[in-house]
Amino acid sequence: MFALALLLTSTAADPLCDRALRAAPGLSCAAAERGVALAATPAEAERLAEHARAAEGRFAAQFSRDIAPYAVVSTPPVPDRAALNAAGFVHVLPWPAARAFDEAARRAVEQGARRFAASQAMSPRQTEEVVSRALSQIPDAKAQAALDAGMVPHELGHLWFTAAFWPDQPGTDADAPRHYGGPGPDWLDEAAAVVMEDEATTAQRRGQFSALMKGEVVPAVGPIEGRAMLLDLPGLLSREHPGLARAVAAAPEISAVGGVGVSFTPAGAGPRPAALERVFYIQTRVFADYLIRTSGRPAILADIARGLANGRSLEEWLAAEGGAHGLPSTVSALHEGWRAYAVGV
């Protein structure tokens, strides 16, 4: 009780929490250096703030750019984004509480399992078995906590990276290229997010990369010929994020349930978009490793982002600055270097 009283006193005295609680009364607040976490309980607010603090440190090391005030808000309820913006919080990240995630996951998993069973002309008994087996795979509380440790920093990375290098968002010109995150290329936007993740998530992605390169089946991905995709650097640099279509389609549902959206694809269903999306994350993580290790610069993604934000293509940036950063001067040479690196991972 005494420790809890100290926690409540410290958060109430923090200027960021003071501002946040005026905009979101009735919640508990825990402060990071540049933002806050808001939740129904002090313990949950502190847990989210811990992830945010870790993300701040990684962003400083990788990008050396300022972070505008932000709020991570456990949902439900849906946060009053306008009130938080008015209080000075530029970024508002709704984050599903464990119960909300579980409910959304169960809906998505059951619906996906029933669609899969129908596509295979399964009997009612077989369908219920498939649904039961799929529901048993939903992460438990411990697994959800591990997921949050990687994904809260990941999503904050998307927001901070875009604001740092493309502060002026483009309009809704129908002719403009679609992007999963900000105006930068999807591979770079995703790389900026995956380098924010915690060590456990990073190690998992690297392990999955190695397994796919050996031709092994990664359960989280399913049966897919991953090696050829992972070696195809020009494809990574040019392709649209595999999750873009899903994100666009899910937007109405996510708005309706307070920012909680979960998709499900049976592992045996082949290389569907969900599997391609996971491979995209795995590849961008290890490609970021390649860029950092080859250049010897932890902030190489920031160097590239500055050039691309100023209107250069990656090919132009490599020709002008690649050599000075220890990188090849063409995308073709970068591809060859990547293939040699990937085979040796």
Side-chain angles (χ1 to χ4, degrees):
M1 180 64 71
F2 179 65
L4 178 60
L6 286 178
L7 174 63
L8 292 173
T9 301
S10 64
T11 56
D14 185 272
L16 284 173
C17 276
D18 287 344
R19 286 159 49 191
L21 292 174
R22 285 195 293 270
L27 296 177
S28 296
C29 179
E33 183 176 344
R34 299 293 297 155
V36 300
L38 297 167
T41 66
E44 178 64 8
E46 177 58 29
R47 188 179 72 86
L48 292 176
E50 182 180 354
H51 299 326
R53 293 183 200 114
E56 288 184 3
R58 294 178 200 130
F59 193 81
Q62 297 279 354
F63 298 103
S64 300
R65 290 291 182 98
D66 193 22
I67 297 171
Y70 65 91
V72 180
V73 188
S74 179
T75 63
V78 179
D80 187 340
R81 186 181 297 268
L84 287 166
N85 289 156
F89 296 95
V90 176
H91 306 299
V92 178
L93 176 64
W95 196 254
R99 179 179 176 183
F101 180 90
D102 185 69
E103 291 174 353
R106 287 183 176 279
R107 285 196 305 271
V109 167
E110 181 171 355
Q111 292 168 3
R114 291 189 184 283
R115 285 195 299 268
F116 176 69
S119 73
Q120 303 299 308
M122 291 183 178
S123 69
R125 179 184 60 79
Q126 292 171 322
T127 296
E128 294 310 314
E129 289 177 352
V130 168
V131 170
S132 177
R133 189 161 63 248
L135 288 173
S136 71
Q137 302 302 310
I138 294 176
D140 58 17
K142 183 177 180 180
Q144 180 59 34
L147 181 68
D148 288 352
M151 292 303 103
V152 170
H154 178 113
E155 295 304 328
L156 287 172
H158 277 303
L159 297 175
W160 298 342
F161 176 73
T162 298
F165 295 96
W166 284 271
D168 299 319
Q169 289 291 310
T172 55
D173 184 352
D175 295 327
R178 297 198 311 172
H179 291 286
Y180 185 76
D186 283 355
W187 74 267
L188 182 58
D189 185 85
E190 200 57 63
V194 296
V195 298
M196 294 294 100
E197 295 170 354
D198 67 322
E199 291 183 6
T201 305
T202 298
Q204 181 184 60
R205 295 206 192 281
R206 289 171 177 157
Q208 290 169 337
F209 183 95
S210 179
L212 289 170
M213 285 292 293
K214 294 174 184 175
E216 299 172 4
V217 174
V218 174
V221 175
I224 188 172
E225 178 51 56
R227 182 185 173 93
M229 291 179 59
L230 295 176
L231 290 175
D232 180 16
L233 183 61
L236 173 69
L237 299 178
S238 62
R239 74 170 54 101
E240 181 181 274
H241 193 300
L244 179 57
R246 173 191 56 78
V248 171
E253 177 189 352
I254 291 175
S255 297
V257 297
V260 181
V262 177
S263 62
F264 168 74
T265 299
R272 294 187 177 186
L276 299 178
E277 188 173 350
R278 294 185 184 108
V279 172
F280 191 78
Y281 296 143
I282 294 166
Q283 187 179 18
T284 52
R285 172 63 257 187
V286 180
F287 181 53
D289 289 342
Y290 165 71
L291 293 172
I292 292 167
R293 293 177 186 179
T294 303
S295 67
R297 287 182 55 76
I300 189 63
L301 293 178
D303 298 325
I304 295 172
R306 276 193 294 272
L308 273 57
N310 287 330
R312 285 178 171 172
S313 66
L314 180 60
E315 187 81 52
E316 291 169 337
W317 183 85
L318 287 170
E321 301 186 36
H325 291 84
L327 296 173
S329 59
T330 67
V331 169
S332 176
L334 189 71
H335 182 206
E336 292 306 311
W338 161 249
R339 289 176 66 89
Y341 178 86
V343 169
V345 169

